[in-house]
Amino acid sequence: MSARATSRPGGRSARVQQSVHQAVRELEAEVGRDALTVPLIAARAGVTPSTVYRRWGDLRELLSDVAVERLRPDGPPADHGSLRADLAAWAVQFAEEMDSTAGRTYVRDALLGDPEQGNAVRCSDYAAEQLTAIGVRAAGRGEAVPGVEALLDVVVAPLMYRILFRPSELSEAYTDRLVAAALGLEAKS
Amino acid sequence: MSARATSRPGGRSARVQQSVHQAVRELEAEVGRDALTVPLIAARAGVTPSTVYRRWGDLRELLSDVAVERLRPDGPPADHGSLRADLAAWAVQFAEEMDSTAGRTYVRDALLGDPEQGNAVRCSDYAAEQLTAIGVRAAGRGEAVPGVEALLDVVVAPLMYRILFRPSELSEAYTDRLVAAALGLEAKS
C-alpha cells in the first residue's frame, strides 16, 4: 500500500474511501473481479477515476487496500477459559479464514498490490493484536504467556507459509500441535 | 504457474524456454523490469509473441517462472560437520538470499504470476530438498534428525513470514534461535 492510502483522515476523504471500497465489493460480487476497472469502480462510487488513481495509484493497490479491510478481525478473540484453549480456538479460526478461497484471494491481493508492504504489515498486525488480547487475558488469569513475536513465529508463520507456498491440510490436529509447541506442551494427538 | 509451463520436454521446447528466460534476464538488466513487454522479450529471444503467450499465458506468469529459476539453489548445502552447524549455516544463507532486494522481488514475482501455485510449491520444494540433503548427511553421521516438514514449520516459515508480512531483522542470532528450537536445544545467544 502506498503512503496515499495509509492516511485515514475523516470527512470527505473517509467518505470517498468508504464509497470506493463498497463499490469494489459490490462490483466484485456482481461482475467478478476480472471485470473490475478503475472507471467502473469510480462510476459506481460517484467519484472521478482520477480521484481513485490519485489516492490508490492503480487497481491493484486499491484491491490490496480492500483486501486488508476484509482481513480485519470482526472483534476480540473468544474467551475459552485458558491460554491454550483460546490459542487453539483462534488458530483453528485463523487457519479456516485464511485457507478459504476468499481468504487466499485477500491474502494474495494484500501482498501483490503492496509495493511498500504496508498492507502486509497490517495483516500481520491484526494477528499480533488478537494474540496480544489473548495473552493479556491469560496473564490476568495468572498464566505464563509467550511473547507475541514467538507466537507469530510458531503458530501464525507455519499457517501462512503453508497457505502461500505448500498446500497442506491445516487440520485441527495440526493447529493444536503448533499451539502446543508455542506453549512448550505435548500436543493432544 | 500454469500447466503450460510445468512441462519441460527437451528439444525445441527446452531451447525456447532457455532463450526466453535469458531474454528476460538480459532485458531486465538493460531496460529495467517496468519496461519489459512480451513483444520486447520475444524479439530478443527470436520467437514470436504468440509463442510466449501460448506457453506462459502472460508476462506475469513468465516473470514468475523466471523468478523461480533464479531461486533454485546452486548446489547442495555446505557440510559443516554437524546437523546444527549445517542447519545454522543454511538458515543464514537462506535468510540473506530471500531478504535481499533481488530475493524479495523474485519471491513476489513467483507468488504473483502463479494462479495455480505451482511456482510457490517449487520454491518450497527447493528448501525442502536442501533440508532433506542436510538431514540425510546428519543421519549418516548417526545424528537424530527432525522431519523436513517440522524444519519447514520451525525454520523456514518464520523467515518467509517475516520477509513477506513483518519486516524484521533476520540476524544470525535469530536464525540460530530458530534452528535451536527445531532441534530442541538452547540457542547460543
Side-chain angles (χ1 to χ4, degrees):
Chain A
M1 182 173 63
S2 73
R4 283 182 293 275
T6 49
S7 63
R8 299 188 181 286
R12 180 171 184 279
S13 178
R15 285 196 303 277
V16 165
Q17 168 167 317
Q18 192 179 3
S19 62
V20 169
H21 275 215
Q22 188 178 333
V24 170
R25 292 190 295 265
E26 288 174 6
L27 287 166
E28 203 176 334
E30 292 169 24
V31 302
R33 59 182 285 110
D34 289 345
L36 292 179
T37 64
V38 168
L40 192 66
I41 293 163
R44 174 66 63 98
V47 301
T48 63
S50 68
T51 299
V52 174
Y53 290 120
R54 201 164 49 237
R55 177 144 182 174
W56 281 279
D58 63 15
L59 178 62
R60 222 158 64 185
E61 290 190 50
L62 171 56
L63 290 180
S64 177
D65 209 28
V66 172
V68 172
E69 282 302 313
R70 287 171 151 178
L71 292 169
R72 183 194 291 273
D74 292 330
D79 187 344
H80 296 278
S82 75
L83 175 59
R84 177 162 190 177
D86 284 1
L87 285 176
W90 181 83
V92 165
Q93 191 188 352
F94 181 80
E96 273 177 12
E97 284 174 10
M98 295 294 159
D99 200 28
S100 66
T101 304
R104 287 171 166 268
T105 302
Y106 300 153
V107 170
R108 286 177 63 89
D109 278 354
L111 281 176
L112 301 180
D114 186 28
E116 293 165 38
Q117 276 202 306
N119 283 342
V121 170
R122 278 171 64 201
C123 291
S124 179
D125 284 344
Y126 291 156
E129 286 159 15
Q130 298 271 300
L131 293 169
T132 300
I134 288 173
V136 167
R137 202 157 55 200
R141 295 187 200 105
E143 297 186 82
V145 179
V148 167
E149 297 300 324
L151 290 173
L152 290 170
D153 279 347
V154 180
V155 178
V156 175
L159 294 171
M160 294 307 296
Y161 180 76
R162 289 180 181 277
I163 286 167
L164 286 171
F165 290 99
R166 200 164 184 85
S168 309
E169 202 213 338
L170 304 181
S171 64
E172 200 167 327
Y174 176 68
T175 54
D176 184 66
R177 280 203 302 280
L178 298 177
V179 168
L183 300 180
L185 303 169
E186 294 284 317
K188 285 180 186 153
S189 51
Chain B
M1 184 172 63
S2 73
R4 284 182 293 274
T6 49
S7 64
R8 301 189 178 284
R12 180 171 183 280
S13 178
R15 285 196 302 278
V16 165
Q17 168 165 318
Q18 193 179 3
S19 61
V20 169
H21 275 215
Q22 189 178 334
V24 171
R25 291 190 296 264
E26 287 174 7
L27 287 166
E28 202 176 332
E30 292 169 23
V31 302
R33 57 183 287 110
D34 289 345
L36 292 180
T37 64
V38 168
L40 191 67
I41 293 163
R44 173 67 63 99
V47 302
T48 63
S50 67
T51 299
V52 174
Y53 290 121
R54 202 163 49 236
R55 178 145 182 174
W56 282 279
D58 64 15
L59 178 62
R60 224 158 64 181
E61 290 190 50
L62 170 56
L63 290 180
S64 176
D65 209 28
V66 171
V68 172
E69 282 302 312
R70 287 171 149 177
L71 292 169
R72 182 195 292 274
D74 292 330
D79 187 343
H80 295 278
S82 74
L83 175 58
R84 177 163 190 176
D86 284 2
L87 285 176
W90 182 84
V92 165
Q93 190 187 352
F94 180 81
E96 274 177 11
E97 285 175 8
M98 296 294 159
D99 200 28
S100 66
T101 304
R104 287 171 167 268
T105 303
Y106 300 154
V107 170
R108 286 177 64 89
D109 277 354
L111 283 175
L112 194 139
D114 186 29
E116 293 166 36
Q117 275 202 306
N119 282 345
V121 171
R122 278 171 64 202
C123 291
S124 178
D125 283 345
Y126 291 154
E129 286 159 16
Q130 298 271 301
L131 293 169
T132 300
I134 288 172
V136 167
R137 202 158 54 200
R141 295 187 200 107
E143 296 185 84
V145 179
V148 167
E149 297 300 325
L151 290 172
L152 290 171
D153 279 347
V154 180
V155 178
V156 175
L159 293 171
M160 294 307 296
Y161 180 76
R162 290 181 180 278
I163 287 167
L164 287 171
F165 291 98
R166 201 164 184 84
S168 311
E169 201 211 341
L170 304 180
S171 64
E172 199 165 329
Y174 176 69
T175 54
D176 185 65
R177 280 204 302 278
L178 298 177
V179 168
L183 301 179
L185 304 169
E186 293 285 315
K188 283 177 189 158
S189 51

Short mmCIF file of all heavy atoms in Angstrom, two decimals, chain A residues 113-136:
data_model
loop_
_atom_site.label_atom_id
_atom_site.label_comp_id
_atom_site.label_asym_id
_atom_site.label_seq_id
_atom_site.Cartn_x
_atom_site.Cartn_y
_atom_site.Cartn_z
N GLY A 113 -0.61 -6.04 -4.38
CA GLY A 113 -0.75 -4.63 -4.73
C GLY A 113 -0.14 -3.75 -3.67
O GLY A 113 -0.71 -2.73 -3.29
N ASP A 114 1.02 -4.13 -3.20
CA ASP A 114 1.52 -3.56 -1.96
C ASP A 114 3.02 -3.36 -2.03
O ASP A 114 3.77 -3.96 -1.28
CB ASP A 114 1.17 -4.56 -0.84
CG ASP A 114 1.50 -4.03 0.54
OD1 ASP A 114 1.50 -2.81 0.72
OD2 ASP A 114 1.76 -4.86 1.42
N PRO A 115 3.46 -2.47 -2.95
CA PRO A 115 4.91 -2.35 -3.16
C PRO A 115 5.66 -1.94 -1.90
O PRO A 115 6.81 -2.30 -1.74
CB PRO A 115 5.02 -1.27 -4.25
CG PRO A 115 3.69 -0.60 -4.30
CD PRO A 115 2.69 -1.59 -3.83
N GLU A 116 5.01 -1.21 -1.00
CA GLU A 116 5.73 -0.76 0.20
C GLU A 116 5.43 -1.61 1.42
O GLU A 116 5.79 -1.26 2.54
CB GLU A 116 5.41 0.71 0.48
CG GLU A 116 5.98 1.62 -0.60
CD GLU A 116 5.37 3.02 -0.55
OE1 GLU A 116 5.15 3.51 0.55
OE2 GLU A 116 5.12 3.59 -1.63
N GLN A 117 4.70 -2.71 1.24
CA GLN A 117 4.47 -3.70 2.30
C GLN A 117 3.61 -3.19 3.44
O GLN A 117 3.46 -3.89 4.44
CB GLN A 117 5.79 -4.24 2.86
CG GLN A 117 6.36 -5.36 2.02
CD GLN A 117 7.32 -6.21 2.81
OE1 GLN A 117 8.26 -5.72 3.39
NE2 GLN A 117 7.10 -7.52 2.83
N GLY A 118 2.99 -2.02 3.31
CA GLY A 118 2.16 -1.52 4.40
C GLY A 118 0.96 -2.41 4.67
O GLY A 118 0.59 -2.64 5.82
N ASN A 119 0.35 -2.94 3.61
CA ASN A 119 -0.82 -3.77 3.81
C ASN A 119 -0.47 -5.12 4.40
O ASN A 119 -1.20 -5.67 5.22
CB ASN A 119 -1.59 -3.95 2.50
CG ASN A 119 -2.41 -2.72 2.16
OD1 ASN A 119 -2.66 -1.89 3.03
ND2 ASN A 119 -2.82 -2.60 0.91
N ALA A 120 0.65 -5.68 3.96
CA ALA A 120 1.10 -6.96 4.54
C ALA A 120 1.36 -6.78 6.03
O ALA A 120 1.00 -7.64 6.84
CB ALA A 120 2.37 -7.44 3.82
N VAL A 121 1.97 -5.67 6.39
CA VAL A 121 2.23 -5.40 7.80
C VAL A 121 0.92 -5.26 8.57
O VAL A 121 0.80 -5.75 9.70
CB VAL A 121 3.10 -4.13 7.96
CG1 VAL A 121 3.19 -3.70 9.42
CG2 VAL A 121 4.49 -4.36 7.39
N ARG A 122 -0.09 -4.65 7.96
CA ARG A 122 -1.38 -4.54 8.64
C ARG A 122 -1.97 -5.93 8.89
O ARG A 122 -2.53 -6.19 9.97
CB ARG A 122 -2.36 -3.69 7.83
CG ARG A 122 -2.14 -2.18 8.05
CD ARG A 122 -2.95 -1.34 7.10
NE ARG A 122 -4.39 -1.47 7.28
CZ ARG A 122 -5.28 -1.18 6.34
NH1 ARG A 122 -4.88 -0.76 5.15
NH2 ARG A 122 -6.56 -1.31 6.58
N CYS A 123 -1.86 -6.83 7.90
CA CYS A 123 -2.36 -8.20 8.11
C CYS A 123 -1.69 -8.83 9.32
O CYS A 123 -2.33 -9.46 10.16
CB CYS A 123 -2.05 -9.09 6.90
SG CYS A 123 -2.97 -8.67 5.43
N SER A 124 -0.37 -8.67 9.38
CA SER A 124 0.39 -9.26 10.48
C SER A 124 0.02 -8.60 11.80
O SER A 124 -0.11 -9.26 12.84
CB SER A 124 1.89 -9.10 10.18
OG SER A 124 2.66 -9.64 11.22
N ASP A 125 -0.20 -7.29 11.77
CA ASP A 125 -0.58 -6.58 12.99
C ASP A 125 -1.95 -7.04 13.50
O ASP A 125 -2.17 -7.10 14.71
CB ASP A 125 -0.59 -5.06 12.75
CG ASP A 125 0.82 -4.47 12.72
OD1 ASP A 125 1.75 -5.16 13.17
OD2 ASP A 125 0.99 -3.33 12.25
N TYR A 126 -2.87 -7.34 12.58
CA TYR A 126 -4.17 -7.87 13.03
C TYR A 126 -3.97 -9.14 13.86
O TYR A 126 -4.55 -9.29 14.93
CB TYR A 126 -5.06 -8.21 11.84
CG TYR A 126 -5.56 -7.04 11.03
CD1 TYR A 126 -5.93 -7.20 9.70
CD2 TYR A 126 -5.70 -5.78 11.59
CE1 TYR A 126 -6.40 -6.14 8.95
CE2 TYR A 126 -6.16 -4.71 10.85
CZ TYR A 126 -6.52 -4.90 9.52
OH TYR A 126 -6.98 -3.86 8.77
N ALA A 127 -3.15 -10.04 13.35
CA ALA A 127 -2.89 -11.29 14.08
C ALA A 127 -2.20 -10.98 15.41
O ALA A 127 -2.55 -11.53 16.45
CB ALA A 127 -2.03 -12.23 13.23
N ALA A 128 -1.21 -10.07 15.37
CA ALA A 128 -0.48 -9.73 16.60
C ALA A 128 -1.42 -9.13 17.64
O ALA A 128 -1.31 -9.43 18.83
CB ALA A 128 0.65 -8.75 16.27
N GLU A 129 -2.38 -8.31 17.19
CA GLU A 129 -3.31 -7.69 18.14
C GLU A 129 -4.21 -8.74 18.79
O GLU A 129 -4.50 -8.68 19.99
CB GLU A 129 -4.16 -6.63 17.42
CG GLU A 129 -3.38 -5.36 17.10
CD GLU A 129 -4.00 -4.54 15.97
OE1 GLU A 129 -5.18 -4.78 15.62
OE2 GLU A 129 -3.29 -3.68 15.42
N GLN A 130 -4.67 -9.70 17.98
CA GLN A 130 -5.52 -10.76 18.53
C GLN A 130 -4.73 -11.60 19.54
O GLN A 130 -5.24 -11.95 20.60
CB GLN A 130 -6.03 -11.64 17.39
CG GLN A 130 -6.91 -10.90 16.39
CD GLN A 130 -8.36 -10.91 16.78
OE1 GLN A 130 -8.97 -11.96 16.90
NE2 GLN A 130 -8.92 -9.74 17.02
N LEU A 131 -3.48 -11.93 19.19
CA LEU A 131 -2.65 -12.74 20.08
C LEU A 131 -2.33 -11.97 21.36
O LEU A 131 -2.26 -12.54 22.45
CB LEU A 131 -1.37 -13.18 19.37
CG LEU A 131 -1.61 -14.16 18.22
CD1 LEU A 131 -0.34 -14.34 17.39
CD2 LEU A 131 -2.09 -15.52 18.75
N THR A 132 -2.12 -10.67 21.22
CA THR A 132 -1.88 -9.84 22.40
C THR A 132 -3.09 -9.85 23.33
O THR A 132 -2.95 -9.99 24.55
CB THR A 132 -1.54 -8.39 21.98
OG1 THR A 132 -0.37 -8.42 21.16
CG2 THR A 132 -1.30 -7.50 23.19
N ALA A 133 -4.28 -9.72 22.76
CA ALA A 133 -5.50 -9.73 23.57
C ALA A 133 -5.64 -11.06 24.32
O ALA A 133 -6.00 -11.09 25.50
CB ALA A 133 -6.72 -9.48 22.68
N ILE A 134 -5.34 -12.15 23.61
CA ILE A 134 -5.40 -13.48 24.27
C ILE A 134 -4.38 -13.55 25.40
O ILE A 134 -4.66 -14.06 26.49
CB ILE A 134 -5.15 -14.59 23.22
CG1 ILE A 134 -6.37 -14.71 22.30
CG2 ILE A 134 -4.85 -15.93 23.90
CD1 ILE A 134 -6.16 -15.67 21.12
N GLY A 135 -3.19 -13.00 25.16
CA GLY A 135 -2.12 -13.04 26.16
C GLY A 135 -2.45 -12.20 27.38
O GLY A 135 -2.20 -12.61 28.52
N VAL A 136 -3.01 -11.01 27.15
CA VAL A 136 -3.37 -10.13 28.26
C VAL A 136 -4.42 -10.82 29.14
O VAL A 136 -4.33 -10.81 30.38
CB VAL A 136 -3.90 -8.78 27.73
CG1 VAL A 136 -4.58 -7.97 28.83
CG2 VAL A 136 -2.76 -7.98 27.11
#
